[in-house]
Amino acid sequence: MSVKSIFIVWGSHSRRAKTLATELDGKVYFLYETQLKEKWLLPLRYLVQTWRTWHLLEQEHPDIVLVQAPPIFAPLVVAAWCKLRGRSSRHRTLYAI
């Protein structure tokens, strides 16, 4: 049985994410809004990245999701998605922080 895994990074690059995704036979997604770099736009950037993360999870329906933190909001979005979609289990961890 094939397990679909993805690695989500709210940044523009991460060697660790690329390496782990490759080792797990998964795919890495860099969800960083370069147009919203200014500090005063940070809340808007997090809101946009939250929407993009949720949309990605809805499209991919992964079995395993790894998330790079910081920021803390990225894993919280994934945890909320897993909880609402019933993707957590006592026997297996389906999201990692």
Side-chain angles (χ1 to χ4, degrees), residues 2-96:
S2 168
V3 176
K4 186 174 187 177
S5 64
I6 64 172
F7 200 125
I8 297 174
V9 180
W10 280 14
S12 57
H13 66 280
S14 170
R15 187 176 303 171
R16 176 179 295 144
K18 287 180 182 178
T19 303
L20 282 171
T22 301
E23 291 295 321
L24 293 171
D25 224 9
K27 194 169 182 184
V28 64
Y29 293 91
F30 296 101
L31 304 177
Y32 184 71
E33 293 300 316
T34 56
Q35 303 90 340
L36 303 173
K37 273 187 161 179
E38 302 295 325
K39 281 212 182 263
W40 65 277
L41 292 171
L42 188 65
L44 180 59
R45 185 174 78 209
Y46 283 171
L47 184 64
V48 170
Q49 290 174 173
T50 295
W51 182 85
R52 288 185 64 208
T53 300
W54 196 277
H55 185 70
L56 173 69
L57 293 168
E58 287 292 318
Q59 283 184 330
E60 294 291 326
H61 293 286
D63 298 308
I64 298 173
V65 182
L66 295 147
V67 187
Q68 181 173 307
I72 187 61
F73 301 110
L76 291 175
V77 171
V78 173
W81 181 84
C82 289
K83 184 78 170 166
L84 290 173
R85 296 296 180 244
R87 301 294 290 216
S88 58
S89 167
R90 290 184 191 168
H91 306 291
R92 232 165 80 175
T93 303
L94 299 175
Y95 60 88

